[in-house]
């Protein structure tokens, strides 16, 4: 994605002294990594990761204590202890980092650095989803207490092709011996290289200076960066935030849906309340077969898969009068037709009357985990089909944000391979 105007209004990615685990001080690098904080299903996932290694990064990104203040203080104290004890150490030279994720049939590479922050209206970094203020407040408290960027956001841009500019530097760097390489349980091999050569850094800087990026994953953390930048004032390390930039002309990302689990709405009640406003029909399980039916239905319009008691139900064909009454009119038609738009405006707000609050709705990336949680709580799993990436980009370029948690781009960077200190 190329920005209009002159080069100084593009992406500015600068090197930093990465904080990394000292391999001799941990069981394995794989054992101290974690998915991003919002992918870890609490509390099971947190407990599992904490038991994987006493120094797992989840102790920093999702500290376990009774209050937000106690959690933040615990994370800050843990980080100080790990630095003092040599568990984490800063690289001696500022660097940009080439990061590779590889498994059979999939290869993704990008560059990790500290990106100059800019508001959405500048048109340099484009958000495509709304954020939840309470999540931003939570992440801000943690970032403020630790004075660190603990996880890179995932941003995408469109380069000019392999062998040129930043893409060429990434490919050349990945041919060298990596700083680290480890295989996580999901089968991904993660490798990291440092770019410190001034000429290579200059090539990356020049290429990115006229690019525009889309936030693929990390809207809440980006909003947190902007809030903390405003708190600290100009000309501080808080003017920059840790990101992974992936050139999707070279490495297209996968786009997945994010599902909803309605904690206090039994499936029978959910289905009864949509009768007459949507078409409701049972479909055969198990889950993979039901998801195929959802994919087929999504080709023809809005479609949702509801479950929670072992049965599966397709909810499709909303009443046009309901859409007209509940979905706001001042947005592009592509936005008004989004499944997430119809879900929030017509189902959650109008028919089910469920507040968008953590005690009512859980947002989960994995369909099977959503179903299992709904069955455990006696609630309703609402499964969605992914939005096409072109739709996301087109809306973002128009300055239109999608309902929060509309998409899940991936593969996401593992947390714990490189951190950025703001002290």
């Amino acid at each position: 994605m190329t920005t209009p105007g002159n080069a100084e209004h593009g992406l500015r990615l600068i090197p930093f002294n990465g904080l990394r685990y000292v391999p001799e001080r941990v069981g394995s690098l794989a054992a101290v990594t974690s998915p991003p904080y919002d992918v870890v299903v609490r509390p099971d996932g947190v407990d599992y990761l904490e038991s994987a290694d006493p120094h797992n990064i989840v102790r920093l990104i999702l500290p376990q204590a009774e209050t937000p203040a106690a959690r933040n203080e615990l994370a800050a104290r843990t980080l100080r202890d790990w630095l003092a004890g040599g568990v984490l150490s800063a690289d001696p030279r500022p660097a940009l980092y080439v990061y590779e994720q590889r498994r059979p049939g999939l290869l993704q590479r990008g560059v990790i650095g500290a990106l100059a922050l800019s508001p959405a209206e500048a048109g340099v970094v484009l958000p495509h989803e709304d954020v939840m203020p309470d999540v931003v407040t939570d992440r801000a408290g943690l970032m403020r207490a630790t004075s660190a960027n603990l996880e890179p956001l995932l941003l995408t841009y469109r380069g000019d092709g392999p062998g040129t500019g930043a893409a060429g530097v990434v490919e050349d760097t990945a041919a060298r011996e990596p700083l680290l390489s480890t295989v996580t349980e999901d089968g991904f091999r993660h490798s990291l290289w440092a770019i410190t050569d001034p000429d290579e850094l200059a090539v990356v800087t020049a290429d990115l200076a006229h690019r525009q990026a889309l936030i693929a994953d990390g809207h809440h953390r980006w909003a947190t960066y902007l809030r903390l930048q405003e708190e600290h004032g100009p000309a501080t390390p808080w003017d920059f935030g840790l990101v992974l930039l992936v050139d999707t002309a070279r490495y297209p990302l996968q786009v997945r849906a994010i599902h909803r689990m309605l904690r206090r709405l039994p499936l029978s009640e959910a289905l009864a309340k949509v009768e007459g406003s949507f078409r409701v029909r049972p479909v055969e399980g198990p889950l993979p077969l039901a998801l195929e039916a959802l994919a087929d239905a999504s080709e023809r319009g809005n479609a949702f898969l509801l479950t929670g008691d072992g049965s599966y139900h397709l909810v499709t064909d909303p009443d046009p009068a309901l859409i007209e009454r509940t979905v706001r009119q001042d947005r592009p038609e592509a936005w008004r037709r989004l499944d997430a738009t119809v879900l929030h405006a017509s189902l959650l707000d109008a028919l089910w009357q469920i507040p968008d609050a953590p005690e009512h709705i859980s947002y989960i990336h994995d369909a099977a985990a959503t179903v299992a949680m709904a069955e455990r709580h006696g609630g309703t799993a609402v499964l969605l089909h992914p939005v096409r990436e072109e739709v996301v980009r087109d809306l973002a370029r128009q300055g239109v944000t999608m309902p929060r948690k509309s998409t899940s781009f991936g593969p996401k960077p593992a947390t714990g391979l490189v951190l950025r200190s703001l002290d």
Side-chain angles (χ1 to χ4, degrees), residues 249-289:
R250 180 76 178 87
Y251 299 106
L253 283 133
Q254 299 173 322
V255 187
R256 299 169 63 195
I258 301 177
H259 311 291
R260 277 70 168 155
M261 200 288 280
L262 312 181
R263 293 177 170 274
R264 301 179 181 179
L265 183 69
L267 178 63
S268 57
E269 188 177 333
L271 293 171
K273 288 184 174 180
V274 300
E275 285 284 0
S277 298
F278 285 78
R279 181 188 178 200
V280 180
R281 61 187 171 95
V283 292
E284 291 294 321
L287 179 59
L289 192 62

Side-chain angles (χ1 to χ4, degrees), residues 293-305:
L294 174 63
D296 290 343
S298 294
E299 294 292 323
R300 299 184 292 275
N302 296 121
F304 310 94
L305 182 64

Side-chain angles (χ1 to χ4, degrees), residues 354-376:
I354 294 176
D356 192 356
E359 61 269 26
H360 291 278
I361 305 176
S362 293
Y363 292 84
I364 306 172
H365 293 72
D366 181 76
T370 311
V371 173
M373 189 176 285
E375 291 177 349
R376 194 161 63 241

